């Protein structure tokens, strides 16, 4: 959730209703893994490529451009933010990811919302 102060984050999964409990536990285990283990190099690289590679897709429409400019202005990121975006993403380290996961993720504190048949 992209706000000035703390915001919510979410995990969304499309799944078979009979696997809800197993899916929730898998997500919680993954969050703990982010806290306890350094992200593997290949996974980390693949995610950086995805995040930086999809940026142009977010700028293909007037709405996408406007949303990015609004975000830059709202957060005081500067008009050169997008020009340096890839460099900033590529400077992130696995150790920083682990530190952020330890600080902000709480695998045992969550709200579960289910849409569809249970």
């Amino acid at each position: 959730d992209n706000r000035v102060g703390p915001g919510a984050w979410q995990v969304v999964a499309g799944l078979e209703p009979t696997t809800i409990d197993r899916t929730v536990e898998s997500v919680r285990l993954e969050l703990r893994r982010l806290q306890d283990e350094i992200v593997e190099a290949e996974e980390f690289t693949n995610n950086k490529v995805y995040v930086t590679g999809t940026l142009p897709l977010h700028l293909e429409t007037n709405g996408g451009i406007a949303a990015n400019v609004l975000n830059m202005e709202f957060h005081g990121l500067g008009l050169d933010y997008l020009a340096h975006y890839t460099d900033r993403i590529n400077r992130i380290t696995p150790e920083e990811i682990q530190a952020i996961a330890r600080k902000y993720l709480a695998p045992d504190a969550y709200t579960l919302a289910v849409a569809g048949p249970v």
Side-chain angles (χ1 to χ4, degrees):
D1 189 5
N2 197 7
R3 302 192 188 275
V4 174
W9 61 275
Q10 63 182 348
V11 175
V12 178
L15 53 109
E16 173 65 34
T18 60
T19 65
I20 292 171
D21 291 339
R22 190 170 72 221
T23 302
V24 169
E25 188 55 29
S26 293
V27 169
R28 293 173 66 210
L29 288 172
E30 184 65 17
L31 296 177
R32 285 189 191 96
R33 188 174 74 86
L34 283 170
Q35 295 173 326
D36 297 339
E37 302 173 21
I38 295 293
V39 177
E40 293 179 11
E42 182 178 1
E43 180 180 6
F44 192 62
T45 299
N46 288 344
N47 276 280
K48 282 185 177 185
V49 168
Y50 173 78
V51 168
T52 58
T54 57
L55 177 62
L57 299 175
H58 298 288
L59 301 172
E60 285 187 338
T61 66
N62 290 337
I65 294 168
N68 275 278
V69 171
L70 176 64
N71 182 51
M72 291 163 26
E73 184 64 26
F74 184 77
H75 292 287
L77 301 173
L79 294 177
D80 65 343
Y81 175 75
L82 294 177
H84 302 287
Y85 180 81
T86 298
D87 292 336
R88 287 183 176 122
I89 296 298
N90 286 329
R91 283 196 306 262
I92 297 170
T93 67
E95 292 78 16
E96 289 171 317
I97 296 297
Q98 185 180 40
I100 289 167
R102 286 178 174 170
K103 182 175 181 178
Y104 293 109
L105 300 182
D108 297 321
Y110 62 91
T111 299
L112 177 63
V114 177
V118 178

